[in-house]
Amino acid sequence: MENILFQDYKDSGYIYLENYFSEEDLKDLELILHKFHDNWLKENEKYYQSGLINSHSLTSSKFITQDERLDIFKFIIQDKISEIVRSLFHEKAIFLNTQLFFDPFNKNQDNYWHRDIQYTGMSIDEQKEKIKTQNVIHFRIPLQPEIGIELIPSTHKNWDLQEEEETRLSLNGRKPNNNLQRGKTVSLNRSDLLIFSANMIHRGLYGNNRFAFDVIFCDDTPEFRTFIDFKNHPSQDELQFLNSELF
Ligand SMILES: O=C(O)CCC(=O)C(=O)O
């Protein structure tokens, strides 16, 4: 199973595992996520109303208790996740952060094609090189059925076609939400798992009151470590309860 997954990911940049989590796996997590989200919405109403579609850094949030934070860490390191992480990264991987994705306040808000790396300030030439060696991988855990993620297979290692680059970067009259020929939609249901490279061209499809938890891992390199906010990682005390090489 692990080698097949690795080959799939290597070729296409994503893996879709249908019905991967049980209700038992999700039920405690879901309560914590809703508690976080309800509080987050209250404090960030202004930003939500002006367009935010995600929150992040749940494990350093004041909205959850120490026990809830530990439960999130336990969810992240469970075998169902960490065995896949181990098989996808050539070298050691490290936990980067968490995000929650939801629908925009304005139901007509446009989605946008992007590669996460385009927001790092690197030149296009640097980005083209870095996607060949650097890995950032999202594990998306939908709690609600959602229209899903649209992605362009294999672009985790291959650069855009001209139309794709122009769309992502709003060039030559194209807009980031324009449809792309090679786009492939992966619809998601509660209990599915979608793993995809943040380097690849992708966009979230809004609707159905989506509510998805993303856990993100990256290469454990000095370069990435400078980006990691270690407040989101377990403390030495917490590590006693978490037997994992992912922190
Ligand atoms: O779901 C979304 O809205 C976008 C997801 C995304 O871009 C990401 O996870 O990097």
Side-chain angles (χ1 to χ4, degrees):
M1 160 103 164
E2 283 189 17
N3 280 342
I4 300 171
L5 284 185
F6 176 69
Q7 196 53 46
D8 251 22
Y9 179 80
K10 213 171 135 213
D11 293 341
S12 62
Y14 73 97
I15 304 168
Y16 169 56
L17 297 172
E18 195 175 359
N19 214 355
Y20 189 67
F21 292 108
S22 67
E23 275 307 307
E24 190 59 30
D25 294 331
L26 297 178
K27 71 177 189 344
D28 293 346
L29 174 75
E30 185 176 28
L31 290 174
I32 301 170
L33 299 181
H34 277 294
K35 176 180 170 189
F36 168 84
H37 187 56
D38 291 348
N39 283 287
W40 182 92
L41 276 179
K42 275 183 209 139
E43 197 166 288
N44 293 279
E45 201 180 345
K46 197 171 75 189
Y47 302 104
Y48 171 57
Q49 293 192 358
S50 53
L52 275 192
I53 50 139
N54 70 348
S55 54
H56 62 87
S57 303
L58 280 72
T59 52
S60 62
S61 166
K62 62 184 180 196
F63 301 138
I64 61 169
T65 65
Q66 288 295 313
D67 284 348
E68 289 165 340
R69 165 180 152 107
L70 198 57
D71 283 347
I72 299 182
F73 288 134
K74 286 181 181 159
F75 183 89
I76 291 170
I77 65 165
Q78 66 179 292
D79 288 349
K80 280 184 175 176
I81 293 181
S82 57
E83 281 174 7
I84 301 182
V85 175
R86 245 173 258 131
S87 76
L88 297 189
F89 283 84
H90 300 291
E91 307 284 337
K92 196 175 167 305
I94 187 166
F95 166 67
L96 175 59
N97 208 346
T98 51
Q99 289 181 300
L100 257 189
F101 284 88
F102 39 83
D103 278 345
F105 174 75
N106 172 0
K107 298 302 167 219
N108 298 317
Q109 183 170 312
D110 289 331
N111 58 38
Y112 55 99
W113 288 106
H114 62 283
R115 296 177 184 266
D116 287 11
I117 201 170
Q118 77 187 61
Y119 305 115
T120 54
M122 283 180 208
S123 70
I124 298 277
D125 283 343
E126 264 179 295
Q127 293 177 34
K128 282 184 186 171
E129 282 309 304
K130 288 292 182 193
I131 65 166
K132 294 182 192 152
T133 55
Q134 283 190 345
N135 301 290
V136 180
I137 305 183
H138 278 252
F139 281 56
R140 168 157 297 203
I141 297 135
L143 280 305
Q144 287 264 108
E146 61 177 274
I147 302 168
I149 295 279
E150 190 173 0
L151 33 80
I152 303 196
S154 301
T155 53
H156 63 311
K157 56 180 182 189
N158 298 313
W159 201 246
D160 311 42
L161 301 181
Q162 187 180 344
E163 177 196 63
E164 293 163 354
E165 191 171 56
E166 288 179 354
T167 301
R168 264 193 313 118
L169 304 179
S170 304
L171 300 172
N172 292 333
R174 291 198 62 88
K175 300 219 179 72
N177 71 320
N178 287 161
N179 288 335
L180 291 175
Q181 291 261 327
R182 300 196 297 169
K184 181 176 161 60
T185 298
V186 185
S187 301
L188 299 171
N189 281 306
R190 184 182 170 89
S191 80
D192 293 348
L193 172 64
L194 175 69
I195 299 158
F196 65 96
S197 165
N199 287 338
M200 74 193 309
I201 307 175
H202 62 281
R203 64 173 170 177
L205 301 173
Y206 311 148
N208 290 355
N209 202 19
R210 70 190 188 139
F211 192 65
F213 180 54
D214 279 28
V215 184
I216 309 159
F217 301 94
C218 61
D219 301 311
D220 188 358
T221 55
E223 210 172 344
F224 274 123
R225 276 183 173 253
T226 59
F227 277 109
I228 294 177
D229 180 350
F230 282 95
K231 284 202 301 296
N232 289 306
H233 275 231
S235 64
Q236 286 305 320
D237 284 348
E238 288 169 319
L239 281 173
Q240 294 171 29
F241 303 101
L242 302 163
N243 181 17
S244 172
E245 75 286 1
L246 292 171
F247 302 119

